[in-house]
Amino acid sequence: MFQSTIIPLLLTCMVCIVVARMEVRDEDSDSIFRGTREDQKTTTVIVSFKGSNLQNIRNKLKTREFSSRTHRIQSLHDDLQDYANTIQRNVLNMLSKHKSASPIEVHQLWMSNQVIVKNADVTLVKTLQNMEEVSGVMEDIRFTMDENFIQQDYPTNNKRTNADPTWGIGAIHAPEVWAAGIRGAKVVVADIDSGVRGTHEALRDGFREENGWFDPIGKSPVPKDAVGHGTHTTGTIVGRTNGIGVAPEAQWIACRGCGDDGVCDLSAFMRCGQWALCPTDVNGSNPRCDLAPHVISNSWGAGAGLDYFDETLANWVAA
């Protein structure tokens, strides 16, 4: 999935997700709802399943031959989807019946063989915990972005107008690569962050509109970024004006994992990770593995000891 002449250069400028090992939390219903206000009797939970073995799917992928990059990614997607459908069948059926009586949202994560349930009450959580195939039910994790990363207002007279490469572009010798005719053409970069301000002068012409935006946080139909961090990282990678982008001819797509308040949800990041393998439309439908990006930027982290993104990372590499 990550094969392109521009990729080593792009990786130089990207800060990747920090992930370490920790067991998935299996919380009881009391601990999940402890501290919840009386008027907030529901929460978002992530359901995991016993005996999940996605590594076996990735190993089988290595033994097969594929006619194209798209064929390989599509095959991985189909195998993961079929596996999740089989393992999760009883839980999904139960949740489907529950939706008729309760306003829950259910999102299948075939990427990691998990299920996200929003607006789950204590009765539903207990039901899930008691199902034979369920290995654990954990509450969604929320991360607050450091205030130093949140968008600031700067005087307009500080606006850069020089088209020469910025010092960072020069420091990684990007102009030398450009001189060889390599500027990111035909490469698509996905950014998982706080979103992207799609109207930004450095980015508006590089947006790949087809299946190019997904917002599981606020469901915005068009690229947006109320915080500014995702716009910054995308600009660093593919910005087309004022000498700020490492690969100015590359296109970008993006998934928003943080809200307007700078609070980011693990469940949103996980949905973004799944989206990046086979991008969907803005409604989360019509996945297109042929539109998968060549590079995925994750300029965020949550400290040591978290393994929640491990399966997603492994599947990206396998693709």
Side-chain angles (χ1 to χ4, degrees):
M1 184 172 181
F2 300 100
Q3 295 179 351
S4 171
T5 53
I6 197 67
I7 286 174
L9 180 61
L10 285 167
L11 291 178
T12 305
C13 77
M14 291 163 59
V15 182
C16 296
I17 183 173
V18 179
V19 182
R21 297 299 305 174
M22 187 171 83
E23 296 299 320
V24 174
R25 300 183 306 184
D26 180 10
E27 302 171 303
D28 59 41
S29 56
D30 290 337
S31 66
I32 289 177
F33 285 91
R34 186 176 298 126
T36 301
R37 297 202 313 262
E38 188 64 25
D39 61 342
Q40 292 180 330
K41 296 183 178 180
T42 63
T43 191
T44 298
V45 295
I46 301 172
V47 183
S48 299
F49 293 82
K50 295 176 182 176
S52 183
N53 186 2
L54 302 188
Q55 183 59 52
N56 188 45
I57 293 175
R58 293 188 289 268
N59 288 340
K60 290 181 179 179
L61 197 73
K62 297 176 182 178
T63 67
R64 299 161 59 187
E65 294 185 0
F66 301 95
S67 59
S68 65
R69 173 178 180 265
T70 294
H71 184 200
R72 181 184 182 87
I73 299 172
Q74 185 71 58
S75 296
L76 176 60
H77 166 276
D78 293 348
D79 289 348
L80 291 170
Q81 181 75 77
D82 290 345
Y83 183 78
N85 288 343
T86 299
I87 299 295
Q88 300 173 10
R89 181 179 294 114
N90 290 338
V91 168
L92 292 176
N93 286 341
M94 183 276 290
L95 290 171
S96 179
K97 295 176 182 177
H98 192 88
K99 286 173 69 175
S100 63
S102 177
I104 62 171
E105 285 186 37
V106 179
H107 303 287
Q108 184 187 47
L109 293 173
W110 44 261
M111 189 75 154
S112 57
N113 191 27
Q114 294 173 301
V115 173
I116 297 168
V117 184
K118 292 189 174 184
N119 302 319
D121 59 22
V122 64
T123 300
L124 179 56
V125 170
K126 289 180 177 179
T127 299
L128 287 166
Q129 290 172 327
N130 290 329
M131 296 189 74
E132 182 178 356
E133 57 269 74
V134 171
S135 63
V137 179
M138 60 170 279
E139 188 170 28
D140 197 6
I141 301 175
R142 311 202 77 191
F143 310 100
T144 300
M145 186 176 293
D146 189 300
E147 63 180 11
N148 292 323
F149 293 125
I150 296 178
Q151 185 169 273
Q152 304 291 327
D153 291 327
Y154 297 100
T156 56
N157 59 4
N158 284 344
K159 182 178 179 180
R160 176 182 169 83
T161 58
N162 189 346
D164 293 336
T166 58
W167 70 268
I169 300 298
I172 62 171
H173 304 288
E176 297 173 22
V177 179
W178 297 345
I182 302 172
R183 296 173 59 86
K186 299 182 180 181
V187 172
V188 176
V189 178
D191 191 73
I192 298 176
D193 209 295
S194 61
V196 177
R197 180 158 65 86
T199 58
H200 194 288
E201 62 181 22
L203 298 172
R204 60 193 177 204
D205 294 334
F207 177 49
R208 192 201 68 194
E209 187 171 352
E210 187 174 18
N211 287 36
W213 169 254
F214 185 51
D215 178 9
I217 287 282
K219 301 181 181 179
S220 171
V222 295
K224 66 169 290 185
D225 180 12
V227 177
H229 188 265
T231 302
H232 155 66
T233 57
T234 304
T236 300
I237 302 168
V238 301
R240 296 190 172 196
T241 62
N242 299 333
I244 64 171
V246 173
E249 293 182 11
Q251 292 182 299
W252 63 269
I253 61 177
C255 186
R256 184 174 181 235
C258 306
D260 292 351
D261 56 359
V263 176
C264 315
D265 294 344
L266 173 64
S267 61
F269 278 138
M270 295 178 78
R271 292 181 68 192
C272 285
Q274 177 168 284
W275 174 86
L277 186 69
C278 292
T280 67
D281 59 25
V282 295
N283 298 313
S285 304
N286 305 311
R288 291 279 302 276
C289 296
D290 60 312
L291 295 177
H294 303 90
V295 178
I296 303 172
S297 169
N298 295 272
S299 182
W300 53 273
L306 303 179
D307 71 345
Y308 305 123
F309 224 64
D310 279 10
E311 293 287 9
T312 297
L313 289 169
N315 288 327
W316 285 347
V317 172

